[in-house]
């Protein structure tokens, strides 16, 4: 990148309303000057998933506040920005539209260039924002809405090496928690229970390990957990605390094994990739993280897990991706459209299905 760029980023593709200001200088680490994320967990809690209409309305209400907050915190004004970057997809269409409309208003009002960013590109470029990771690298994006391996060669050069053909692992963790009466979000709750569990007591499947390639499947694992739970309840008229811990440990071990083996394959098939980076809420899981790190070490690659606040949905990643795209010459205008589906790798077939947390790409 040739000049210093200061970019305002907006994110509203699922259930987090976020704004951030990021500065990128040639030869220096990128700086997050200010960022804020307003989650909508409480609004959706009673529904067991994100309600798109509620999410869109909340984004429309909160985006302005988020922008005002990051301008205040950074001591900057819109005039100090070089561009406004916004998530233009993939995601829940109402939320993405709220963000795109807000960004268009800001860009038009302040006379700034507008840059539409793919949400997945934001995640995939995060290792460059946090650690200045050089291209190329392997990204495993693993959250409540996404699960895919990306070969990242540039800010517009992504190759999807594989991904889930049904649910994302975070969805499976959340469902497991619901089935076992644990709190939401399910990942941390299942992980905490699993600490005192015996992963070998119940046999859970490792879906698609028998098939070549890096595609994954997690919906069968959910069903297996349901069956196991019902069988134990039918036999003993209830679950003991130990039964529950053992199921959590077994489930977590199955997810870990699938992610680790598919990562091993991805690295083996792309021996020029010397860095494995992870992003997404599931990457917070210590058991899974340790297994992925081990796979990287065995393959002679580095392992990078950005701080959790930048692994999950945020606007700093959108502002940073916007800076890279700006430097490549991208400029959008008032015709920028919100896209519910937007695969990063246009050469790969689109993933099927629409997850609990929105459309998959
Ligand atoms: O990236 P994220 O915050 O949001 C999106 O999905 O976009 O990921 C949230 C997902 C939830 O499904 C949550 O249960 C899961 O990440 N998660 C975890 C852990 N922490 C969060 N899954 C497993 N172990 C964890 N410690
Ligand atoms: Zn995301």
């Amino acid at each position: 990148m040739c000049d210093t760029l200061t970019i305002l980023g907006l994110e509203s593709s699922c259930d987090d309303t976020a704004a951030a200001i990021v500065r990128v200088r040639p030869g220096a680490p990128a700086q997050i000057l200010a960022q804020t994320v307003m989650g909508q967990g409480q609004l959706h809690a009673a529904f067991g998933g994100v309600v798109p209409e509620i999410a869109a309305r909340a984004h429309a209400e909160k985006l302005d506040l988020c922008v005002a907050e990051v301008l205040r915190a950074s001591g900057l004004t819109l005039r100090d920005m070089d561009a406004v970057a916004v998530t233009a997809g993939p995601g829940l269409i109402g939320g993405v539209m709220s963000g795109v409309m807000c960004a268009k208003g800001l860009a038009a009002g302040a006379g700034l260039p507008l840059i539409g960013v793919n949400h997945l590109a934001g995640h995939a470029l995060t290792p460059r924002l946090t650690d200045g990771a050089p291209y190329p690298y392997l990204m495993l994006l693993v959250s409540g809405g996404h699960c895919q391996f990306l070969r990242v060669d540039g800010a517009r050069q992504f190759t999807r090496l594989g991904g889930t053909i049904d649910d994302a692992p975070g969805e499976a963790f959340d469902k497991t928690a619901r089935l076992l009466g644990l709190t939401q979000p399910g990942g941390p709750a299942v992980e905490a229970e699993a600490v005192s569990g015996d992963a070998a007591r119940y046999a859970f499947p490792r879906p698609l390990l028998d098939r070549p390639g890096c595609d994954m499947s997690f919906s069968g694992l959910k069903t297996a957990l349901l069956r196991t739970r019902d069988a134990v309840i039918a036999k003993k008229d209830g679950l003991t605390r130990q039964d529950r811990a053992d199921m959590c440990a077994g489930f977590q071990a199955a997810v870990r094994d699938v992610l680790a083996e598919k990562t091993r394959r991805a690295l083996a098939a792309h021996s020029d990739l010397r860095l494995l980076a992870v992003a997404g809420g599931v990457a917070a899981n210590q058991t899974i993280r340790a297994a992925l790190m081990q796979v990287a070490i065995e393959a002679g690659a580095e392992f990078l897990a950005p701080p959790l606040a930048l692994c999950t949905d945020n606007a700093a990643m959108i502002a940073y991706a916007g800076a890279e795209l700006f430097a490549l010459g991208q400029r959008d205008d008032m015709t920028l459209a919100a896209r519910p589906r937007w695969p990063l790798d246009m050469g790969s077939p689109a993933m099927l299905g629409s997850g609990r947390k929105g459309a998959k790409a």
Side-chain angles (χ1 to χ4, degrees):
M1 286 183 212
C2 33
D3 294 317
T4 296
L5 293 175
T6 307
I7 309 285
L8 170 66
L10 304 182
E11 157 63 34
S12 58
S13 64
C14 187
D15 58 351
D16 292 304
T17 316
I21 298 174
V22 168
R23 181 164 286 162
V24 178
R25 280 203 196 95
Q31 268 179 293
I32 301 173
L33 301 183
Q35 69 161 327
T36 185
V37 179
M38 292 190 187
Q40 302 178 352
Q42 300 278 22
L43 292 177
H44 305 287
F47 302 96
V50 178
V51 183
E53 287 75 13
I54 294 177
R57 209 169 308 135
H59 287 307
E61 281 169 14
K62 296 285 182 338
L63 276 160
D64 287 358
L65 299 177
C66 288
V67 171
E69 169 58 20
V70 292
L71 289 174
R72 189 202 57 75
S74 64
L76 300 174
T77 69
L78 280 177
R79 282 208 201 118
D80 299 311
M81 301 300 128
D82 291 295
V84 180
V86 61
T87 299
L92 298 171
I93 187 66
V96 180
M97 281 170 70
S98 299
V100 168
M101 298 299 282
C102 178
K104 282 181 180 173
L106 291 169
L112 293 171
L114 177 68
I115 301 177
V117 174
N118 183 308
H119 176 85
L120 302 172
H123 280 302
L125 298 177
T126 299
R128 293 176 58 73
L129 163 66
T130 56
D131 292 79
Y135 295 123
Y137 54 87
L138 177 67
M139 161 60 65
L140 169 58
L141 187 49
V142 65
S143 71
H146 326 292
C147 182
Q148 52 187 296
F149 288 104
L150 290 165
R151 184 192 158 101
V152 186
D153 285 283
R156 282 193 196 127
Q157 289 166 270
F158 303 98
T159 313
R160 189 162 59 75
L161 307 181
T164 182
I165 58 167
D166 41 53
D167 295 342
E171 275 177 277
F173 267 101
D174 293 342
K175 180 78 187 290
T176 295
R178 262 193 297 280
L179 289 173
L180 297 177
L182 301 171
T183 51
Q184 294 293 320
V190 170
E191 181 173 21
E193 281 291 311
V195 170
S196 49
D198 171 10
R201 178 162 162 217
Y202 299 110
F204 288 109
R206 269 68 174 157
L208 298 193
L209 277 197
D210 53 339
R211 283 205 225 151
C214 296
D215 279 343
M216 292 164 280
S217 162
F218 295 97
S219 75
L221 198 47
K222 246 170 34 185
T223 314
L225 186 112
L226 173 65
R227 293 221 179 92
T228 305
R229 182 201 70 164
D230 289 350
V232 174
I233 291 176
K235 203 161 133 201
K236 302 206 278 191
D237 215 21
L239 290 183
T240 64
R241 199 153 181 189
Q242 193 58 49
D243 295 335
R244 194 162 76 171
D246 293 345
M247 279 180 218
C248 286
F251 167 83
Q252 179 176 270
V255 176
R256 173 200 65 198
D257 288 353
V258 171
L259 291 172
E261 175 55 26
K262 296 288 175 164
T263 302
R264 195 171 289 125
R265 289 185 199 173
L267 284 172
H270 295 259
S271 56
D272 60 325
L273 299 177
R274 307 299 350 126
L275 172 68
L276 165 66
V278 291
V282 180
N285 185 290
Q286 294 300 325
T287 302
I288 292 173
R289 196 184 269 233
L292 294 173
M293 188 188 289
Q294 187 58 32
V295 168
I297 291 168
E298 281 165 17
E302 268 183 69
F303 178 76
L304 175 59
L308 191 59
L310 294 171
C311 274
T312 54
D313 287 353
N314 67 89
M317 67 179 190
I318 302 303
Y320 177 79
E324 288 218 19
L325 294 169
F326 185 96
L328 290 175
Q330 180 177 327
R331 303 289 183 274
D332 290 300
D333 59 24
M334 293 299 136
T335 62
L336 177 67
R339 302 170 67 172
R341 284 178 185 270
W342 184 3
L344 263 187
D345 174 1
M346 300 307 259
S348 287
M351 302 302 280
L352 297 175
S354 178
R356 186 180 58 76
K357 290 201 124 197
K360 297 190 179 100

